[in-house]
Structure formats: C-alpha cells, structure tokens
Amino acid sequence: MSVNWHRNLWLIWVAQVLSLSGFNFGLPFLPYFIQELGVTDPDRLNLWTGILSSAPAVTMGIMAPVWGYIADRWGKKIMLLRAMFCGSIILTAMSFSHSVYTVVILRIVQGLLTGTMTAAATLVTAGTPKNRLSYALGILASSSFIGISIGPLFGGIAAEFIGYRPSFLIGGIILAAGFFLVLFAVREVKTEDHTEEELPEKTGNKKADKKLISVSVAGALLMLFLLRFSRVLPIPFIPLYVQDLLGTIKGSASTTGIISFARGAVTALASATIVRLGDRYDRTGLVAILAAIATVVSIPIGLVHGLWGFSALFVLATFFLGGIEPLLQSEIISKVPGTKQGLIFGIQTTVGNLGWFFAPMAGSLISIKFGIPAVFFSMFIFLAVATAVSLLIRLFIHRKQSQ
C-alpha cells in the first residue's frame, strides 16, 4: 500500500502540473481576449471579467457532490480522466470562440464537466495513511500552484507573440498529455477506510461513522468559503490592473504571466512546507495564524500604485494564504469515513466554489463603483473578517471538545 500511495501521489502530482499549466496557458488572459472580441468599455469590461471568472464556479459547485458520489461508487481514477479529457476539449473549443457569449457558455460547461483538483485530491487521499494526509495534500496542492505558475508565464509569452487563440489550443494539448499519463500510469487505490473520528469506535463509540458533518468539519467548511472568497476577490482583476499601471495592453499579458508565475511559485512553496506542520500541530490554529499574517501583509496592497511594489506585496500575502486550503482539506478529510471521501470532497468543492462565485461578482461591483485599486484594498477587509471568524471557530471547537 505504501508503494502505491507514494507512486500515485507523484504521478498525479505530474498530471496536475500538466492540468493546471494547460488551463492557465490561456484562461488568465481572458480580460485581454474579450477586448479582442470587442468588449472595450471599462465598465462592461469589469463586469464581463467578473462573470467569466464566476461562471464555472456555479456549475462546478452543483456538480462536485454528484461527481464525488460517483467516485465513491464507481472509482476515482475515471473521475480524474473525465475532468482532464473534458478540459482539453473545452480549451480547444475556446480557441475558436468569436463572441464573449460563447466564451461564457464554454466556461459554464467547464464547471459542469471538469474539476481536476477535486478529482485528483479524492484519488490521492483514497490510499494515503491518515497520519500523512497533510503532507500528501500539501504536495498535491503544490503541483496545482506550480501549474498555475508555469501556465501563465509561458502562456503570456505565447499570447504576446502568437495570439490568444493558439494559447488556448496549446493549453488543450497540455491537458491531453496529462490525460494519457493518468490513463496509462496511475492506479486505482482502495480507500483506507478509517478516520480520526472513527478510531474511538473501537472503544465503544458506535455513532462515530454516521456523522458526516461534525462541528470541526462545519467550521473548516465555513473557513474555506471565507478564505476562498478573500483570496479569489482580486485575482480576475490583476490583468486589468497591470494594464492600467502600464498604460497600455502591449506587454500586459507577459507581465501578468510573470506575476502569476511568482504567485503560483510561492503558493507551491507554502503547500510543500507550511502545510506539513498540519501533521504535527493543531490545523485550526495554524489556519488562524496564517490568515492573520496574510491580513497584515495585505493592508498596503491597495494603496501602492507602483507595479513592482504592488506585485511584491501581493505575492508575499499569497505565500501565507497558500498553505491554508490544504490544511483545511486535510482537517475535513481526516474527520469523515473513508468510504465518503469522494462525497466530502464534492461538498467542500461546492462550498469553496460559492466563495469563488461571489468573489469576482463582488469585485466587479467594487471596481465599477470605486475603481480597481479598491478591489485589492477590499481583500484586506475580507481577510480581516475571515481571520476573526477563524479565531472564533477555533475557540468554539476547543470549548466543545473540553466539555
């Protein structure tokens, strides 16, 4: 079993690097692509940027528990193959889009049929020992953020020299490579059917495996929503802010790619380092500490108007935020029966996607009314709220456990 879970972890890690590189070869530059499609009015551009970012969140949130249930019943590998294959087709189709409405429809379909991170995490946790969950999910998260780094870096360069349409097509080809890697190399691993909460059953707790949503799981899900909202809020508007700071669209794609590369790289570093502490220390406490540090760092982001000063602060805040979601994932998955891991991953994807949906729409409203810099200042406000809630949740859980 140990050989299988290590082997699968690293093969899926490579597949996720390919997957997220493919998706991010063209998607981060949608605000530039839709300008090419004729959306140039600033308010309409801000609105469509929010819509395009939010569109897949709703449908992915609806379908995630369904795909999770299917994974629990019929296998987890097939779910990862489904997500990668459909992602490849959708990106290829996007390269032939000629209106913003077509792009929106494809983004909605993307949410319905993809979701590689959830599928990959479900497959990895199936055979991972529970005392290595934080480690495994941290390593897996690093693959996603490495992909998020590499994709925009080279995608931005490609967009500058060959255009946005070929960038989507190249992204589809990269996803197809990940699909074949999973198809021929990754093994389906039997779920390790025990959790932290089920262990007391051996000493007489017969109800432990019947409770899917415990107090700690509910608290972690709430934190996932708040932190996903805070983290996603400014991201769709980075390309437009870079364009404003440069004063031209020329060179904006490559500059955005560099910022995205740095953002993904530090998140991958956090996922591979900070998250490991979750196997030794209280995860809810670590989440509160990381959120508090990110809040402090984010204070001046919306007030700095130089491109590189803004970039440095945003990347630094991203580092501390980067370890939070894997910690929350491992906290959630460690508290549910092994046979329901696919379902709980689907539920947490839905909760996270609610944050993903509302954040860009809120960002659109804020940017239209107050300007794009206000979106980045709002990030600090929502992070402060998330930090306060995380501290309250931790206090409540500790009191509940001591009773």
Side-chain angles (χ1 to χ4, degrees), residues 36 86 147 234 273 293:
E36 191 176 276
C86 293
T273 55
I293 296 172

Side-chain angles (χ1 to χ4, degrees), residues 11-152:
L11 285 170
I12 295 170
W13 185 90
V14 175
Q16 274 300 96
V17 170
L18 292 171
S19 172
L20 272 296
S21 295
F23 275 120
N24 285 276
F25 209 86
L27 292 180
F29 313 110
L30 283 176
Y32 304 141
F33 181 51
I34 63 173
Q35 290 179 65
E36 191 176 276
L37 296 178
V39 181
T40 55
D41 175 73
D43 286 348
R44 289 187 67 235
L45 184 58
N46 290 345
L47 179 61
W48 279 113
T49 296
I51 291 172
L52 285 169
S53 183
S54 295
V58 178
T59 49
M60 190 178 291
I62 292 170
M63 288 303 298
V66 177
W67 293 128
Y69 176 78
I70 293 173
D72 287 332
R73 293 289 301 273
W74 289 291
K76 298 168 176 61
K77 177 179 173 178
I78 191 67
M79 292 296 98
L80 184 54
L81 289 170
R82 176 262 310 161
M84 287 186 160
F85 177 79
C86 293
S88 178
I89 298 299
I90 289 165
L91 284 178
T92 302
M94 203 169 286
S95 68
F96 296 99
S97 300
H98 290 283
S99 76
V100 68
Y101 300 103
T102 304
V103 178
V104 170
I105 291 170
L106 287 171
R107 288 284 277 166
I108 291 171
V109 175
Q110 178 189 334
L112 283 171
L113 301 179
T114 65
T116 62
M117 187 60 199
T118 300
T122 304
L123 184 55
V124 164
T125 57
T128 300
K130 296 301 173 286
N131 63 345
R132 304 305 300 279
L133 263 180
S134 291
Y135 163 79
L137 290 174
I139 291 295
L140 183 62
S142 74
S143 73
S144 297
F145 293 114
I146 288 172
I148 290 172
S149 302
I150 295 173

Side-chain angles (χ1 to χ4, degrees), residues 327-350:
L327 285 171
L328 290 171
Q329 283 184 334
S330 57
E331 175 69 12
I332 292 167
I333 205 67
S334 68
K335 297 291 194 275
V336 301
T339 54
K340 297 223 170 70
Q341 287 180 350
L343 177 59
I344 198 64
F345 265 117
I347 291 172
Q348 74 177 30
T349 299
T350 297

Side-chain angles (χ1 to χ4, degrees), residues 152-192:
L153 179 65
F154 293 102
I157 295 171
E160 295 285 354
F161 287 96
I162 62 176
Y164 301 108
R165 295 181 188 279
S167 296
F168 291 124
L169 186 59
I170 293 170
I173 293 171
I174 295 171
L175 263 166
F179 168 84
F180 285 110
L181 174 63
V182 174
L183 179 64
F184 293 114
V186 173
R187 299 174 186 172
E188 186 83 55
V189 180
K190 185 176 177 1
T191 299
E192 289 287 325

Side-chain angles (χ1 to χ4, degrees), residues 55-397:
V58 178
T59 49
M60 190 178 291
I62 292 170
M63 288 303 298
V66 177
W67 293 128
Y69 176 78
I70 293 173
D72 287 332
R73 293 289 301 273
W74 289 291
K76 298 168 176 61
K77 177 179 173 178
I78 191 67
M79 292 296 98
L80 184 54
L81 289 170
R82 176 262 310 161
M84 287 186 160
F85 177 79
C86 293
S88 178
I89 298 299
I90 289 165
L91 284 178
T92 302
M94 203 169 286
S95 68
F96 296 99
S97 300
H98 290 283
S99 76
V100 68
Y101 300 103
T102 304
V103 178
V104 170
I105 291 170
L106 287 171
R107 288 284 277 166
I108 291 171
V109 175
Q110 178 189 334
L112 283 171
L113 301 179
T114 65
T116 62
M117 187 60 199
T118 300
T122 304
L123 184 55
V124 164
T125 57
T128 300
K130 296 301 173 286
N131 63 345
R132 304 305 300 279
L133 263 180
S134 291
Y135 163 79
L137 290 174
I139 291 295
L140 183 62
S142 74
S143 73
S144 297
F145 293 114
I146 288 172
I148 290 172
S149 302
I150 295 173
L153 179 65
F154 293 102
I157 295 171
E160 295 285 354
F161 287 96
I162 62 176
Y164 301 108
R165 295 181 188 279
S167 296
F168 291 124
L169 186 59
I170 293 170
I173 293 171
I174 295 171
L175 263 166
F179 168 84
F180 285 110
L181 174 63
V182 174
L183 179 64
F184 293 114
V186 173
R187 299 174 186 172
E188 186 83 55
V189 180
K190 185 176 177 1
T191 299
E192 289 287 325
D193 192 16
H194 59 83
T195 69
E196 290 174 13
E197 288 198 350
E198 287 179 300
L199 294 178
E201 181 178 339
K202 297 176 182 179
T203 59
N205 184 359
K206 302 297 183 183
K207 296 181 179 180
D209 63 338
K210 297 180 181 179
K211 194 172 183 179
L212 182 64
I213 306 295
S214 63
V215 173
S216 58
V217 169
L221 289 172
L222 175 58
M223 282 308 305
L224 180 64
F225 170 80
L226 292 172
L227 288 162
R228 179 72 65 85
F229 180 95
S230 304
R231 185 171 63 82
V232 172
L233 179 69
I235 290 175
F237 302 93
I238 291 176
L240 297 179
Y241 195 43
V242 168
Q243 184 179 343
D244 285 348
L245 292 174
L246 290 177
T248 175
I249 196 172
K250 185 177 181 180
S252 295
S254 57
T255 303
T256 300
I258 292 170
I259 294 171
S260 296
F261 173 80
R263 195 166 51 83
V266 299
T267 307
L269 179 62
S271 297
T273 55
I274 293 176
V275 174
R276 294 192 183 193
L277 298 174
D279 287 326
R280 289 186 291 167
Y281 302 105
D282 177 55
R283 297 184 189 109
T284 57
L286 287 172
V287 167
I289 292 169
L290 291 172
I293 296 172
T295 300
V296 173
V297 173
S298 69
I299 293 173
I301 291 176
L303 306 175
V304 174
H305 300 294
L307 177 61
W308 300 116
F310 154 77
S311 302
L313 287 168
F314 193 80
V315 167
L316 183 60
T318 300
F319 171 75
F320 293 107
L321 289 172
I324 292 179
E325 287 199 21
L327 285 171
L328 290 171
Q329 283 184 334
S330 57
E331 175 69 12
I332 292 167
I333 205 67
S334 68
K335 297 291 194 275
V336 301
T339 54
K340 297 223 170 70
Q341 287 180 350
L343 177 59
I344 198 64
F345 265 117
I347 291 172
Q348 74 177 30
T349 299
T350 297
V351 172
N353 280 16
L354 286 173
W356 176 15
F357 169 74
F358 287 112
M361 299 308 296
S364 289
L365 295 175
I366 293 168
S367 65
I368 290 170
K369 189 169 182 62
F370 302 106
I372 291 178
V375 177
F376 295 95
F377 186 74
S378 298
M379 174 187 173
F380 152 68
I381 296 173
F382 288 112
L383 273 177
V385 172
T387 301
V389 172
S390 70
L391 291 170
L392 290 173
I393 289 174
R394 184 170 185 269
L395 179 62
F396 178 79
I397 290 173

